[in-house]
Amino acid sequence: MKQYEINICGVKRTLPFIDINENTAFASFVILGDTELISACAPVLAERIGPVDAIVTAEAKGIALAYEISKCLGLKEFVVARKSAKSYMRDVVSVSVHSITTQGEQHLYLDGTDADKIRGKKICLIDDVISTGESLYALEQLVQSAGGNIVQKAAVLAEGNAAAREDILFLQKLPLFSRTAEGEYEIVV
């Protein structure tokens, strides 16, 4: 394969391969800005998520998806964990994160006002792809630090071994790949 073809909720996309190292690659899935795909996936995810008090996502790729799922669930707002502390933030809650698509350590931040919105509430965490689980884990830690009660964790895709997790909702598995001697890619997990 030179690229990976995927069909999610009736929407077809062609994903380029990105090498992680000499042996492993992933198919790059970016939902940010893809109105058609978000509109197709959000209602299906919302139905599976069920009743929650709030949706929380990390900046930035999950924002549009979280917005659309919030609309489908009849929620008036959703919460975004930021990747940098902003000058307007007060009583900030923060955690550190490592992920397959992030080089080095990053942090997630919640403004105290947003922390108040989720304290004691039933929360669903939203991401575009769950892979190693590091980003999701950091988001979990952040929400728990703010006093939120996580009742669901959802994504459009679960990548590689993440598809075997029983604690997440997802629409489809996204395999991991290896590069052949001929420069093509084949599914490994």
Side-chain angles (χ1 to χ4, degrees), residues 105-153:
E105 184 176 85
Q106 286 193 334
H107 295 271
L108 292 178
Y109 301 88
L110 264 186
D111 181 57
T113 303
D114 287 332
D116 289 342
K117 290 177 188 175
I118 64 173
R119 188 170 294 114
K121 304 288 186 184
K122 294 185 298 182
I123 307 301
C124 176
L125 305 180
I126 296 292
D127 206 347
D128 60 338
V129 179
I130 297 171
S131 186
T132 64
E134 290 295 322
S135 297
L136 186 66
Y137 179 73
L139 198 54
E140 277 184 83
Q141 296 302 306
L142 186 66
V143 167
Q144 289 169 347
S145 294
N149 178 27
I150 300 162
V151 296
Q152 294 287 8
K153 296 174 262 186

Side-chain angles (χ1 to χ4, degrees), residues 18-19 37-38 56 61 63 65 83 96 118 134 167 181 188:
I18 306 294
D19 292 328
L37 188 56
I38 290 167
V56 178
K61 291 193 305 182
I63 292 174
L65 180 62
K83 289 186 177 176
S96 62
I118 64 173
E134 290 295 322
D167 66 324
V188 290

Side-chain angles (χ1 to χ4, degrees), residues 24 158-163 173-178 186-189:
T24 310
E159 188 171 54
N161 293 329
K173 178 179 179 175
L174 180 63
L176 286 173
F177 303 85
S178 66
E186 60 188 14
I187 295 172
V188 290
V189 180

Side-chain angles (χ1 to χ4, degrees), residues 12 45 65 68 81 87 90 98-99 109 121 146 159 164 175 177 188:
K12 296 178 184 177
L45 279 170
L65 180 62
E68 195 65 24
S87 61
R90 299 290 179 256
H98 292 88
S99 82
Y109 301 88
K121 304 288 186 184
E159 188 171 54
F177 303 85
V188 290

Side-chain angles (χ1 to χ4, degrees), residues 10-183:
V11 179
K12 296 178 184 177
R13 293 293 179 261
T14 301
L15 310 180
F17 291 112
I18 306 294
D19 292 328
I20 299 170
N21 56 42
E22 292 178 14
N23 302 317
T24 310
F26 66 91
S28 180
F29 176 78
V30 179
I31 199 168
L32 186 63
D34 194 333
T35 305
E36 179 185 25
L37 188 56
I38 290 167
S39 296
C41 294
V44 178
L45 279 170
E47 185 176 328
R48 292 184 187 176
I49 290 165
V52 294
D53 298 318
I55 297 292
V56 178
T57 193
E59 188 176 49
K61 291 193 305 182
I63 292 174
L65 180 62
Y67 168 83
E68 195 65 24
I69 290 171
S70 293
K71 278 180 46 181
C72 292
L73 292 172
L75 301 173
K76 293 181 180 181
E77 59 188 351
F78 64 98
V79 174
V80 178
R82 305 298 302 265
K83 289 186 177 176
S84 62
K86 306 298 179 189
S87 61
Y88 63 80
M89 293 178 157
R90 299 290 179 256
D91 303 319
V92 175
V93 179
S94 71
V95 295
S96 62
V97 59
H98 292 88
S99 82
I100 196 169
T101 56
T102 302
Q103 298 201 3
E105 184 176 85
Q106 286 193 334
H107 295 271
L108 292 178
Y109 301 88
L110 264 186
D111 181 57
T113 303
D114 287 332
D116 289 342
K117 290 177 188 175
I118 64 173
R119 188 170 294 114
K121 304 288 186 184
K122 294 185 298 182
I123 307 301
C124 176
L125 305 180
I126 296 292
D127 206 347
D128 60 338
V129 179
I130 297 171
S131 186
T132 64
E134 290 295 322
S135 297
L136 186 66
Y137 179 73
L139 198 54
E140 277 184 83
Q141 296 302 306
L142 186 66
V143 167
Q144 289 169 347
S145 294
N149 178 27
I150 300 162
V151 296
Q152 294 287 8
K153 296 174 262 186
V156 174
L157 301 173
E159 188 171 54
N161 293 329
R165 291 179 58 165
E166 295 181 6
D167 66 324
I168 60 173
L169 301 172
F170 61 94
L171 299 179
Q172 197 167 319
K173 178 179 179 175
L174 180 63
L176 286 173
F177 303 85
S178 66
R179 188 170 11 155
T180 67
E182 296 79 29

